[in-house]
Amino acid sequence: MRKIYLGLLGFGNVGAGVIKILKSRGSLLRNKIGCDLVLKRICDKNLVSKRDVAVPRELLTTDANQILNDPNIDIVIELIGGIHPAKEFIEEALRKGKYVVTANKALLAEEGKEIFDLVKRHEKSIYFEASVGAGIPIIKALKEGLSADRFRRIFGILNGTTNFILSEMSERRVDFSQALAQAKRYGFAERDARLDIGGIDSLHKLIVLVYLCFGRLVSLNEVFVDGIQRISLLDVGYAEELGYEIKLLSVAERQADELELRVHPTLIPQEHLLAKVRGINNAIYVSTDLAGDLLFFGPGAGRAAAASAVVSDLQEAALDLQAGLFRRRFFATEDKTIKGLRPIDKSRSRYYIRFMVVDKPGVLAAIAGVLAKFDISIASVTQKERKRAKVVPIVMVVHEVRERDLRLAMKRIGTLKVIKEPPVTIRIEQI
Ligand code: HSE
């Protein structure tokens, strides 16, 4: 039986998970693929840390060239993460004629153009199922399952860590930093957890999905992004009283001939399915003209789930390799009906707003006065009595307003002497 040789770059959590699957499901994969997947070399700069999977010593190296320069290695698996040196390693692998499997959403989102150009030039392929939604087969669904569809919108929860944090805050009333520490202990968070909580990891994933759906590789700075770092237990509690859950939502939506892209915390009605997505789960809604409205749901982080996606890519790469195929199908076709990106300033939404104010006469009138100047209409106001507190929260829900007007109004209100913290504003999504 033919052997296909693999080189693994990055022996971390997911890398160890991949090795476990290759060891334990070898015969299952052999039956499906018709060849043996043989792990020939594993590279990591740290070979000292203990792993819970045993590998022969001679497979291990700290020198990536032992994989990149080995003519017998057919497929390189990149699980280092981040931009450098992952980018250089992938580029070198492609130049050397290897197929590449990666989970690296940051690299695809930030340097995708160069990588995809290189793939085309060398007529090889890159597979990235694990880059979004871990084990949820969303990438294959978009590139194969919905080949002829025109996408209306794709939106959902793309980051497990922030969803875990928000769920912990809501279910167990633990504060933000405790919930984050717990997510780190479980190993869901990025090495730099600011990528999760600042919304950047979600943004990376949204960019990958948008590329597949609309054929545009947008830059990070073209997308409005806001994270969950300013969400407090107070907001979680008020949102629930108002009938909502707070979720970090990523949205790509066609608006006439423009595409609106945004990542931000959102109040979602408690009865909506997205509000019920808890813990590290992800949920991705896809709406197309042919297949209709689809929902993909499941764990969005974690070793076994991510490793499952990597191994599914290994199967695809091995099949392509045996057939000698240069697969074009992952190159998204540009949707020419979309003329450009819609500026966030034009986007409209209802909003939840929390002000922290000095408890004295005239405060509410001052805030309402500024809102009126910007033509922002208040739907509800809550201020609870707090004994002996000098600073108290006022929570408002406002009717639909243009993002730009809301921002200007908040800037103006922020300058009032009675306002003690920058106002917290959270969209209320109409879904
Ligand atoms: N930090 C990421 C998340 C890992 O929490 O979703 C999976 O991409």
Side-chain angles (χ1 to χ4, degrees), residues 105 130-131 134 158-162 188-190 196 201 205 282 300-302:
K105 58 249 163 153
S131 64
L158 301 182
N159 181 270
T161 300
T162 44
F188 308 140
E190 296 300 300
D196 295 295
D201 179 73
K205 292 167 178 166
N282 284 187

Side-chain angles (χ1 to χ4, degrees), residues 234-235 238-239 242 267 351-356 364 378 380-384 392-398 424:
L234 263 183
D235 301 308
Y238 277 115
L242 291 162
L267 262 64
Y351 275 88
Y352 159 101
I353 311 171
R354 174 170 58 81
F355 303 102
M356 294 306 287
L364 203 50
I378 300 167
S380 73
V381 184
T382 313
Q383 183 186 348
K384 290 192 183 144
V392 295
I394 292 182
V395 169
M396 285 186 183
V397 171
V398 297
V424 171

Side-chain angles (χ1 to χ4, degrees), residues 89-158:
F89 290 166
I90 287 182
E91 287 174 344
E92 189 55 16
L94 290 168
R95 278 190 215 104
K96 292 272 161 63
K98 300 178 191 311
Y99 287 66
V100 172
V101 170
T102 180
N104 198 329
K105 58 249 163 153
L107 181 63
L108 294 171
E110 298 190 25
E111 306 285 338
K113 185 168 176 348
E114 280 178 52
I115 302 280
F116 293 145
D117 284 350
L118 209 59
V119 170
K120 281 184 200 161
R121 202 169 330 133
H122 291 275
E123 302 212 336
K124 288 294 166 228
S125 287
I126 186 164
Y127 309 82
F128 44 92
E129 186 60 69
S131 64
V132 182
I136 305 171
I138 183 68
I139 303 290
K140 288 187 179 65
L142 296 179
K143 69 180 189 180
E144 293 171 24
L146 302 165
S147 330
D149 288 56
R150 181 160 283 165
F151 294 86
R152 283 193 285 256
R153 67 172 176 166
I154 179 160
F155 72 101
I157 296 166
L158 301 182

Side-chain angles (χ1 to χ4, degrees), residues 122-335:
H122 291 275
E123 302 212 336
K124 288 294 166 228
S125 287
I126 186 164
Y127 309 82
F128 44 92
E129 186 60 69
S131 64
V132 182
I136 305 171
I138 183 68
I139 303 290
K140 288 187 179 65
L142 296 179
K143 69 180 189 180
E144 293 171 24
L146 302 165
S147 330
D149 288 56
R150 181 160 283 165
F151 294 86
R152 283 193 285 256
R153 67 172 176 166
I154 179 160
F155 72 101
I157 296 166
L158 301 182
N159 181 270
T161 300
T162 44
N163 202 58
F164 173 84
I165 293 172
L166 293 170
S167 302
E168 289 289 287
M169 289 169 80
S170 147
E171 284 167 15
R172 304 202 301 121
R173 289 295 189 258
V174 295
D175 71 19
F176 184 93
S177 49
Q178 280 175 285
L180 172 61
Q182 185 65 11
K184 283 185 182 168
R185 273 196 294 277
Y186 283 140
F188 308 140
E190 296 300 300
R191 210 168 299 144
D192 178 357
R194 285 174 302 184
L195 294 174
D196 295 295
I197 61 179
I200 304 299
D201 179 73
S202 297
L203 172 57
H204 285 147
K205 292 167 178 166
L206 183 69
I207 290 176
V208 173
L209 298 181
V210 165
Y211 173 66
L212 292 171
C213 294
F214 301 100
R216 279 174 171 256
L217 202 49
V218 301
S219 320
L220 267 68
N221 57 16
E222 289 181 288
V223 185
F224 174 81
V225 58
D226 187 16
I228 64 162
Q229 55 275 52
R230 293 192 58 221
I231 308 289
S232 72
L233 271 176
L234 263 183
D235 301 308
V236 170
Y238 277 115
E240 283 171 8
E241 279 177 32
L242 291 162
Y244 298 98
E245 292 289 323
I246 304 178
K247 297 288 179 194
L248 182 65
L249 215 61
S250 304
V251 182
E253 188 168 20
R254 183 191 289 272
Q255 302 269 6
D257 61 357
E258 289 181 323
L259 190 60
E260 182 168 308
L261 303 176
R262 47 195 164 86
V263 175
H264 50 73
T266 311
L267 262 64
I268 298 193
Q270 274 158 351
E271 59 279 7
H272 193 279
L273 274 178
L274 274 185
K276 302 183 198 309
V277 175
R278 298 279 171 176
I280 54 140
N281 285 307
N282 284 187
I284 309 163
Y285 276 85
V286 181
S287 174
T288 85
D289 58 347
L290 302 177
D293 294 337
L294 312 171
L295 171 62
F296 298 82
F297 169 84
R303 173 204 270 206
S308 158
V310 171
V311 174
S312 82
D313 276 349
L314 288 177
Q315 163 170 313
E316 196 182 345
L319 290 172
D320 287 356
L321 203 141
Q322 291 182 93
L325 282 182
F326 164 49
R327 297 272 274 262
R328 298 188 167 274
R329 68 171 185 228
F330 83 90
F331 297 119
T333 324
E334 188 172 342
D335 184 335

Side-chain angles (χ1 to χ4, degrees), residues 29-82:
L29 292 166
R30 194 176 308 122
N31 286 339
K32 288 191 171 185
I33 309 172
C35 66
D36 268 324
L37 295 178
V38 181
L39 187 57
K40 189 167 181 214
R41 188 80 67 210
I42 302 165
C43 171
D44 199 292
K45 64 178 192 293
N46 167 9
L47 295 179
V48 181
S49 295
K50 277 227 162 341
R51 275 92 173 178
D52 63 354
V53 55
V55 289
R57 183 76 221 165
E58 63 273 17
L59 259 58
L60 297 171
T61 177
T62 54
D63 178 9
N65 288 319
Q66 291 209 16
I67 290 177
L68 302 172
N69 292 336
D70 182 340
N72 294 323
I73 289 182
D74 306 290
I75 304 174
V76 170
I77 312 165
E78 184 276 308
L79 297 175
I80 302 168

